[in-house]
Amino acid sequence: MLASPLYAAPTPFTPQSDEGPKYARDIESFNKLLPPPVEFVEGSSSGALAVPEGKYEPINDTPKAGKPEVRRPRNASPPPPPAKSSGTDSKPAPLFNGTIDTAWPIKCDVASGLYNSGNTCFLNSALQCLFHTPPLLAMLIEHTEKQCRVKPGVFCMACNLRKVAYQAHGSRSAFSPSAVSSKLQVIAKHMRRGRQEDSHEFLRYAIDALQKSCLAGQPPKIDPLLAETTWVHKIFGGRLRSRVHCKDCGHNSDTFDSILDLSLDIYQMPSVLRAMRKFVAIDTLKGADKYKCEKCKKAVVAEKRFTVDEAPVVLTVHLKRFTPIGKKLTHPVEYEETLNLKPYMSEGKFGPSYSLYGVICHAGGGPNSGHYFAFVKSRSGRWFDMNDDSVSSTSVKAALNHRNAYILFYMRDKGQALDAAVNAASSGGPAKGVNAVPPAKGVVAGMKKRQAREDDDEDAGVKVTKPFIGPQLPTLTSKSDPQADRIRKKIAEASQSQVLDSLGAYASDNDDDEKDEPTKPPPPPATSSLPPSSPLPPTTPAAASTAAASSPVVNSITASSPAVVSATNFYSSNNSTKRKFSESFEAGGKDHDRAKKRSAATTPFSKGRMTQTYGRKKRPRPL
């Protein structure tokens, strides 16, 4: 089927001539400009017509970048895959490699006042809170004109804000921030000088202008992940996670969005904490709002929840006081000086704690009227009321729980870097539910896994308490004193011994001496009391009995002391009869002379007197 060419139809107002209708010669030239007629073929068995595939090129098709696609025959082998690029080329370096320092720069404490040049209170209040943000001041100081990558003659928000910040912290008198206020329409195209604007809206456009200054020199279509590596995003930027959990198959669908502030709905909310709980509350998608699961491929009942996946260094909390219909929620909203994001973080993420340092308030009945002022915290920890060019000291009670609070500025507390690194990894497990914990990733999780593998091969041993390191008192092995035990043992042995009692029973043979002086118990006899010239005791019982019978000294000692008898009985039998001195004398003369000489000695029973034994006399007499 061919398209018929265009012919001029005769009209009743067209004059007829021999050459035909008017402008007939132009119709031929017009038909030459037309493209060739389009051919249609039968596309299906129903008789519908279709355009042959690949014969005509659509005129509204978007041109493809690169080389045109070359058609290859059907039987030809596919071309080899392109070579993979190296890891350094695939992942570009971040735009900012430094660390964010939350300490105050030197010579920065309290900024001076700013003049109101005609309904610029919204701008002054936002600038005062930015001038009391220590990380931002530190980055503005480092941003010099030599390091600026913005082309000359083009507006740079970082350079202009740096000039105003230097003047605010360098002088004590109020001034007009003309370097920023004069460029209001450049920062936000819809804003006009002299007109009441929203402070939160200007704050967002001002931070976006700072982001554009950091991206100067980069291609227009930059990777969004690379654009989030600037120092602006590292100070104010965070990330939210939106998780949709399918109730049928348990599949989780996560979506991440970068944020520069956190907007909270305060409708019928008495405090910021209640508004935060409502922000992370679970929303059930059912009925007409059912969720089409990616795994089930059908509309199912699901649960949706927002959580903070990455907390920023400077948290800006925006309270939605203005409704879409132009009204203002004037009820007071309580907020504390400290804020902890742990209950509102994603699973396995560290929730830092923050401290309040700035508050923007709006006094008025609507968004198009009223007045903006701010409360800021200085380097020394004092609070100041920044009301345009008026700067006055105030208390923390005046800054807290203000009924006109509109924007809250919180800064992360110091000393939480180690806690964030340790608590970054959580316990692994299958992800189920909105609050499911993802598999653990990080250094801590790897350490735990290695420890579990070691426990399988080696004996863990017995868990003991850690020893005390330091000076300790010496431990006593025995509760009793060894020296005292020896003394007690000797006393017990002495009390059991009957030697003293047996010696005390024997008195002196001289009755006269007993009357004159009292009797003293003699010391116990010992074998060492014998003269050194006395012979050694015999080794056999028979020899002992013979020696005892032949010795006069032994007879005299045995007669006067039963202790000596017991000593001599050790060498002689108890049944042996005592021999008299005469019998021993008749036994041998030599022994008699030796015994006579030896008998003149001091005995322990003579009370220190020299005694001598003659013949059969048993009683000693003095010499």
Side-chain angles (χ1 to χ4, degrees), residues 252 427-433 435-439:
N252 292 328
S427 59
K432 295 182 180 180
N435 299 328
V437 179

Side-chain angles (χ1 to χ4, degrees), residues 244-253 285 289-303:
V244 181
H245 170 68
C246 179
K247 300 290 290 183
D248 290 354
C249 65
H251 176 70
N252 292 328
S253 177
L285 305 178
D289 299 331
K290 283 187 176 181
Y291 169 71
K292 187 176 181 180
C293 180
E294 299 174 356
K295 188 176 182 180
C296 300
K297 304 298 181 180
K298 62 179 181 179
V300 296
V301 179
E303 293 178 349

